[in-house]
Amino acid sequence: MAFANKNLSVIAYANGFTLWHYGAGEKMADISKAGYFNNVKTLMNIGDIIIINADDQTALKKIGQTGPAVEIAKL
């Protein structure tokens, strides 16, 4: 499956930092691939935190890079 905008939501925003939530019926390995969140890269900033509820696990990740592809990293 691919990124679905309807599965992404903002939990909190302050001073340029956003706490995101993304929930989808996909494996964490697929969601964690570079470029998965490219459709919303203009909304995400380096250092933002994303809670990912994947099909196989839940994890906290951070946005490590936003260009040319969005990359997420472990905290």
Side-chain angles (χ1 to χ4, degrees):
M1 289 178 63
F3 171 80
N5 197 32
K6 67 178 183 172
N7 295 332
L8 181 69
S9 58
V10 172
I11 296 174
Y13 174 84
N15 300 321
F17 168 82
T18 305
L19 176 61
W20 300 91
H21 175 265
Y22 187 75
E26 297 181 60
K27 302 286 184 194
M28 184 64 72
D30 293 329
I31 296 170
S32 297
K33 289 181 182 174
Y36 186 87
F37 292 99
N38 277 357
N39 289 349
V40 291
K41 71 179 176 181
T42 59
L43 303 176
M44 295 183 160
N45 295 304
I46 295 171
D48 284 357
I49 303 295
I50 184 165
I51 301 166
I52 300 174
N53 287 354
D55 197 30
D56 57 344
Q57 63 178 298
T58 297
L60 287 173
K61 304 273 187 170
K62 69 177 179 179
I63 305 301
Q65 177 177 305
T66 57
V70 174
E71 291 183 12
I72 58 173
K74 294 180 182 179
L75 286 177

